[in-house]
Amino acid sequence: MNRAIYPGSFDPVTYGHLDIIKRSADLFGELYVGVLNNTSKSPLFSVEERVNMLKEATADISNIKVVSYSGLLVDFVKEVEASVVVRGLRAITDFEYELQLAQTNHVLYPEADTMFLTARLEYSYLSSTTVREVASFGGDITKFVPKKVAEKMYEKYGIDKK
């Protein structure tokens, strides 16, 4: 069975992420969505919260597993015996950074390839950073994230949107 990994911080998961997940799940027999537990950053949501939000948002996709990981991506790739890392690209500026990561990962673990999926036009502007900023000011983020994710974000920021 061909197995791939789609890694990310997902703080929060957006419709852009979900689009890449659904398209990747159609391409591979099994897709691991790896939620990075990066101890050098201070995310809005804990890794457990991010995993749970992703599990809820992808409950209708049968061939994915949402798990957390820490450390090097290539070690996670080896651990789950994946052969492909999926990365989403929104703009040319993403490509330069992602290409460097892909090349570094290839040097560290040549057995795995990186596949880039371009964001659909309707999500090409969307980032978790932007969603967090809009939410922190009480703006409407329901066009960017699933309803339950939006509710959890407003709760984190102490904003009553009911």
Side-chain angles (χ1 to χ4, degrees), residues 33-158:
V33 179
V35 180
L36 178 60
N37 185 12
N38 187 343
T39 55
S40 67
K41 289 188 176 181
S42 298
L44 179 63
F45 293 103
S46 71
V47 69
E48 294 82 14
E49 288 172 314
R50 289 179 278 148
V51 165
N52 289 335
M53 284 188 289
L54 272 159
K55 283 181 177 180
E56 188 175 317
T58 60
D60 62 328
I61 307 171
S62 62
N63 64 329
I64 73 162
K65 293 182 181 179
V66 180
V67 296
S68 66
Y69 77 98
S70 58
L72 292 175
L73 176 58
V74 293
D75 292 337
F76 181 51
V77 170
K78 292 175 194 176
E79 179 185 325
V80 301
E81 299 177 345
S83 58
V84 175
V85 174
V86 176
R87 299 297 293 171
L89 298 174
R90 292 171 299 191
I92 193 71
T93 52
D94 287 346
F95 180 73
E96 289 181 40
Y97 173 74
E98 293 294 343
L99 181 62
Q100 284 181 329
L101 286 180
Q103 291 170 333
T104 302
N105 288 336
H106 183 73
V107 169
L108 293 172
Y109 188 59
E111 290 82 359
D113 286 314
T114 299
M115 181 181 84
F116 299 113
L117 286 179
T118 57
R120 295 198 189 276
L121 188 57
E122 62 264 36
Y123 305 121
S124 62
Y125 66 92
L126 189 54
S127 73
S128 294
T129 303
T130 302
V131 173
R132 286 192 307 270
E133 185 171 346
V134 172
S136 73
F137 290 104
D140 182 5
I141 57 170
T142 57
K143 292 180 180 161
F144 309 142
V145 298
K147 181 181 178 197
K148 291 196 177 194
V149 172
E151 290 169 358
K152 288 175 182 168
M153 290 191 72
Y154 293 133
E155 183 180 314
K156 281 280 186 183
Y157 286 118

